[in-house]
Amino acid sequence: MKHITCIDDLRALHKRRVPKAFFDYCDRGSYAEETLRANREDLQAIKFRQRILVDVSKRDTSTTILGEPSTMPLILAPVGLLGMQHGDGEIYACRAAQAAGIPFTQSTMSICSIEDIAANVEKPFWFQLYVMKDRGFIKELIQRAAAAKCSALVLTVDLQVIGQRHADIKNGMTVPPEWSLSKLLDFASKPAWVSGVLQGKRRTFGNIAGHVKNTEDLNRLAEWTASQFDTSLNWKDVEWVRSIWPGKLIIKGILDVEDAEEAAKTGAQALVVSNHGGRQLDGAPSSIEVLPEIADAVGDKMEIMFDGGIRSGQDVMRALALGAKSCMIGRAYAYGLGAGGQAGVAKAIDIIQKELLTTMGLCGVNRIDEIDDHIIAV
């Protein structure tokens, strides 16, 4: 990790070390990937006001997230199949986040189970929930998260209909993998990855295994999972989740002011402005484009988090300036995980924090709560 200088370096190393199907699963978006590109391009279009001769000797990235202290306004977002980027990937990513003093969010579609992570880390983590058709299973999943002392529930609401990801189809991206000669050769060329995954606790969806009968049949498990995403999901289901979950609730997947205003009525403590990393509705606006109006509409009623295209500390600064209280990263730390396990995730977090500190200094800012739209060049 000595010569890694930025998230793009981690991405390049990830690409070399992890089989193509799993790298593309992390890296690519839906359909023509217009929204995926917009997330990055619209962030990069925002320019800073450089300020000089301001005392910035006491810069500090610390803040609070949902009332809890955090060393910086950063959260590791839920990413499915982390355990296929690196064996026991969810555990290692959570450990890196906790060592850095920031929250980690486990995905419903993780390889390690809730219990696997809870038994191998020192502090509570967040759990991300998809509400599936089998409400009995979802109630049980919420109860498992509560029993594991998860400190927040992140309810993702933008996956009722799954956007097609062309790369996954072309790669035969399934759990378990759809085998072909080219895939076997690809796996064989990455022995360290194979060894790590084989030594991991699981190689299928850990939160779901055990619920579906005959889970030794991995194809059946994958089929059940694909059939469970619920097109009837609506705001009453959010109320139902709220009635079961005893802790802090975050609603993830808001891109519209009307939806944000509805979210504010649910009693949730926070929302995440997000387009699912450009993996769902292609042609949707970038997250940063809609952030200011959503923050203006409901920022005094609930905490605003941002997700979509963050690759640097400069990007975090941009999102904070336009109304976010904190930011989620997904691909950025998944690249680190694929590149180097826990050390790679730690490197991704460290890169972003150092870039944020430098950017604060060059913009004449010492504290996170000083960051607002005055740092943006008009």
Side-chain angles (χ1 to χ4, degrees), residues 50-119:
Q50 178 175 301
R51 305 302 305 277
I52 60 169
L53 299 178
V54 177
D55 182 354
V56 288
S57 60
K58 297 180 180 179
R59 283 166 291 143
D60 182 3
T61 62
S62 64
T63 186
T64 60
I65 299 176
L66 290 181
E68 297 294 326
S70 182
T71 57
M72 61 188 299
L74 195 71
I75 302 151
L76 299 196
V79 177
L81 277 67
L82 280 181
M84 300 308 289
Q85 303 297 342
H86 186 284
D88 290 336
E90 291 87 4
I91 293 171
Y92 289 119
C94 188
R95 286 177 176 171
Q98 293 186 350
I102 65 174
F104 167 80
T105 317
Q106 181 194 10
S107 170
T108 291
M109 307 310 296
S110 61
I111 300 300
C112 289
S113 69
I114 298 171
E115 294 79 9
D116 291 336
I117 298 178

Side-chain angles (χ1 to χ4, degrees), residues 176 202 204-222 224:
R202 301 176 190 271
T204 186
F205 300 120
N207 290 321
I208 298 169
H211 174 73
V212 182
K213 292 181 180 179
N214 300 321
T215 53
E216 66 276 6
D217 183 346
L218 298 181
N219 285 314
R220 175 174 175 171
L221 183 60
W224 179 88

Side-chain angles (χ1 to χ4, degrees), residues 33 95 236 275 312:
E33 300 184 338
R95 286 177 176 171
K236 290 184 178 179
N275 53 35
S312 67

Side-chain angles (χ1 to χ4, degrees), residues 126-159:
W126 295 3
F127 181 70
Q128 175 268 337
L129 180 73
Y130 291 121
V131 176
M132 298 180 178
K133 292 177 182 177
D134 187 339
R135 296 295 198 268
F137 170 62
I138 295 306
K139 182 177 181 180
E140 176 188 323
L141 203 54
I142 294 171
Q143 291 169 339
R144 287 168 59 190
K149 296 182 170 52
C150 291
S151 51
L153 187 73
V154 180
L155 177 61
T156 299
V157 294
D158 60 356
L159 208 77

Side-chain angles (χ1 to χ4, degrees), residues 207-353:
N207 290 321
I208 298 169
H211 174 73
V212 182
K213 292 181 180 179
N214 300 321
T215 53
E216 66 276 6
D217 183 346
L218 298 181
N219 285 314
R220 175 174 175 171
L221 183 60
E223 289 169 5
W224 179 88
T225 302
S227 72
Q228 281 294 306
F229 290 97
D230 191 354
T231 56
S232 71
L233 192 68
N234 60 72
W235 288 106
K236 290 184 178 179
D237 292 301
V238 179
E239 294 177 15
W240 176 74
V241 170
R242 192 81 197 108
S243 72
I244 301 168
W245 174 249
K248 297 171 182 175
L249 179 66
I250 302 162
I251 299 178
K252 181 176 183 287
I254 303 295
L255 273 186
D256 185 270
V257 168
E258 288 185 25
D259 289 336
E261 290 171 342
E262 287 297 319
K265 298 174 185 177
T266 65
Q269 283 74 27
L271 65 78
V272 186
V273 177
S274 173
N275 53 35
H276 215 97
R279 293 165 63 81
Q280 280 294 93
L281 176 60
D282 198 31
S286 67
S287 296
I288 199 67
E289 180 181 344
V290 300
L291 172 63
E293 59 181 348
I294 291 175
D296 287 345
V298 300
D300 59 341
K301 300 171 185 173
M302 58 198 314
E303 205 159 299
I304 307 297
M305 300 173 178
F306 176 83
D307 169 69
I310 297 286
R311 297 289 186 277
S312 67
Q314 292 92 330
D315 291 337
V316 172
M317 188 93 158
R318 289 167 171 130
L320 297 180
L322 295 184
K325 181 77 163 45
S326 58
C327 296
M328 286 186 166
I329 55 170
R331 289 181 176 92
Y333 85 85
Y335 295 149
L337 182 67
Q342 183 174 333
V345 178
K347 185 68 173 180
I349 296 168
D350 182 63
I351 286 169
I352 289 175
Q353 184 172 33

